[in-house]
Amino acid sequence: MSLLAPVLAPYDPDLADGAVKYLGIGEQGHLLGTDDQGRDILSRLIWGGRTSLIVALLASVLATLVGSALALVAGFAGDRLAGLIMRSMDIMFAFPVIIVALAAAVILGPGPSVVVLSIVFAVIPYVTRVVFAEVKLQRGREYVEAAVSLGAGFPAILFREVLPNVAGQIVVYGTGLVGGMIVFTSSLSALGIGIQPPTADWGRMISEGAKVIISGNVYVALLPGLVVLVVALAFNWLGDGLRDVFDPYKRHKRKAG
């Protein structure tokens, strides 16, 4: 729907009209009503998906790739290199994400790039720890010992033997990040360093709608919140399906059957 936003959106998502603000669902041709500035909520949801999904997907993919690569190396490297990598992750844990985002905004200026960099910085340590634990578990398995005894080199063991067996964990964790990253962008947008108005963004819509809940217009924040919930669940289910596809044991079982 977001890809077809120019065709599907019934109104300009940034067009404000004070005369029609806080219209209820279905009133005066606005299927999902209007917000506090008279902007059509349905149009903003459709257009907002472009910003929210691109930022969340890009940040999640980058963080997952970098974190997984570090974890794979640390899992099979010597104690010194593994300790250096994991202690670096501990240092990254210590940095408040908001401070990192503010510093990036000063250097780069507010916008989507700041959100992506901040999310990547914040998420890499979590991905690295999760994948590192799985890699260490796989390292002691018989198939790894067999590969070593047959003379397989470090790259072959890492990418041909271990990676296929941890890919499911990586995919599930990576896809599960997307919904949370969409919500995380709203906090940065509320501080003025994320997606800038009047650009439609699901996180900003939730943030703006939360300010008017007390007036009784709950739907302004509820509708984008439901969209984020559905998208987050969709990515979780996608991760579960991909895990089954990448799991070598289940794949072998299907072929045998």
Side-chain angles (χ1 to χ4, degrees):
M1 290 182 68
S2 294
L3 289 175
L4 298 176
V7 178
L8 297 179
Y11 298 93
D12 183 342
D14 302 327
L15 180 62
D17 186 354
V20 293
K21 64 181 182 179
Y22 294 136
L23 289 179
I25 296 176
E27 293 184 7
Q28 298 185 27
H30 296 274
L31 294 180
L32 297 182
T34 59
D35 61 11
D36 59 323
Q37 299 184 37
R39 298 172 298 190
D40 183 68
I41 293 178
L42 176 59
S43 299
R44 290 184 64 77
L45 286 174
I46 295 174
W47 279 96
R50 289 190 165 196
T51 304
S52 299
L53 289 174
I54 289 175
V55 170
L57 282 171
L58 179 60
S60 299
V61 168
L62 289 176
T64 301
L65 290 177
V66 175
S68 299
L70 291 173
L72 286 168
V73 173
F76 277 83
D79 292 338
R80 289 186 177 181
L81 181 56
L84 177 61
I85 292 175
M86 299 314 295
R87 296 299 76 75
S88 299
M89 296 301 102
D90 292 338
I91 293 173
M92 293 176 68
F93 270 122
F95 279 93
V97 181
I98 298 300
I99 300 300
V100 174
L102 289 171
V106 171
I107 298 173
L108 302 175
S113 59
V114 172
V115 178
V116 172
L117 290 175
S118 302
I119 291 175
V120 169
F121 185 90
V123 173
I124 282 178
Y126 293 95
V127 176
T128 303
R129 282 191 172 277
V130 170
V131 179
F132 177 74
E134 186 66 22
V135 171
K136 294 290 285 186
L137 179 64
Q138 296 296 327
R139 184 177 179 177
R141 296 290 175 84
E142 290 80 2
Y143 74 91
V144 174
E145 296 178 358
V148 173
S149 64
L150 291 173
F154 175 76
I157 295 175
L158 202 60
F159 294 104
R160 294 177 57 185
E161 304 294 340
V162 176
L163 183 58
N165 286 279
V166 300
Q169 182 78 9
I170 294 173
V171 169
V172 172
Y173 193 78
T175 51
L177 290 173
V178 178
M181 296 307 100
I182 293 174
V183 178
F184 180 70
T185 60
S186 65
S187 62
L188 298 182
S189 298
L191 292 174
I193 56 179
I195 309 302
Q196 298 299 295
T199 302
D201 170 71
W202 291 343
R204 176 169 286 278
M205 291 178 68
I206 295 173
S207 178
E208 293 175 346
K211 299 175 183 178
V212 299
I213 286 181
I214 193 173
S215 65
N217 300 290
V218 179
Y219 65 92
V220 179
L222 179 62
L223 293 175
L226 289 174
V227 169
V228 172
L229 174 62
V230 171
V231 171
L233 287 174
F235 275 103
N236 285 330
W237 290 332
L238 174 64
D240 289 340
L242 291 176
R243 178 183 57 190
D244 294 340
V245 171
F246 292 143
D247 190 318
Y249 296 104
K250 290 186 178 181
R251 185 168 63 246
H252 176 73
K253 186 176 180 180
R254 285 197 298 270
K255 289 182 179 179

